Amino acid sequence: MASGLPPAQPHPTGTPGVGDVYWLDTVCYGGNKKPTRPAVVIRGPIPGLLDDVIVICRTSKQEYSHTHVRHPADLALGLDRPGAFAKSYRRHVDLGFFTQPQFTSYQGQLGEPYLDQILRMTGMA
């Protein structure tokens, strides 16, 4: 279990929704070079049908050759440096992880125009 998650903010509904930004322990979706990563929800769970949440993880790499949306630092979301939400960083995370604070930390809502750009990039708009 990673120990580097920032403190969580209260979530308005308790269920991950489109545009929600979380810091994730990468155990949630399998091996990763970093123990924690920020991610934005691009599809929440579908009650009675799908118990997974689709997220796009964020990287702070300066150079990224794959399709991505650049995003500035945003301290309100725990993002202390510029980064990119990269299409190739799309992950499915079991809804159960979002109920366990040792694995996820809700930070707030991603603002426009970034969310719209990410949803268009991933075909979710």
Side-chain angles (χ1 to χ4, degrees), residues 4-63:
L5 295 176
Q9 303 298 317
H11 192 284
T13 68
T15 302
V18 173
D20 287 349
V21 174
Y22 286 86
W23 272 83
L24 305 175
D25 182 324
T26 59
V27 72
C28 293
Y29 55 80
N32 196 288
K33 291 179 184 177
K34 302 220 180 228
T36 62
R37 279 203 188 271
V40 64
V41 175
I42 61 169
R43 195 211 70 217
I46 302 171
L49 185 60
L50 297 171
D51 286 334
D52 67 335
V53 176
I54 302 176
V55 300
I56 297 289
C57 294
R58 188 177 188 269
T59 180
S60 57
K61 281 172 59 173
Q62 294 300 311
E63 297 297 318

Side-chain angles (χ1 to χ4, degrees), residues 72-81 107:
D74 185 339
L75 295 180
L77 296 175
L79 307 173
D80 64 352
R81 64 192 100 174
Q107 297 299 302

Side-chain angles (χ1 to χ4, degrees), residues 56-117:
I56 297 289
C57 294
R58 188 177 188 269
T59 180
S60 57
K61 281 172 59 173
Q62 294 300 311
E63 297 297 318
Y64 204 80
S65 60
H66 300 284
T67 304
H68 62 278
V69 172
R70 291 249 177 238
H71 184 261
D74 185 339
L75 295 180
L77 296 175
L79 307 173
D80 64 352
R81 64 192 100 174
F85 289 97
K87 187 175 181 179
S88 62
Y89 280 23
R90 178 181 170 142
R91 303 289 186 262
H92 291 254
V93 180
D94 187 277
L95 177 60
F97 281 102
F98 290 88
T99 64
Q100 301 181 45
Q102 70 268 32
F103 295 122
T104 62
S105 175
Y106 174 71
Q107 297 299 302
Q109 278 280 311
L110 185 67
E112 294 298 343
Y114 307 102
L115 179 59
D116 184 58
Q117 292 172 11

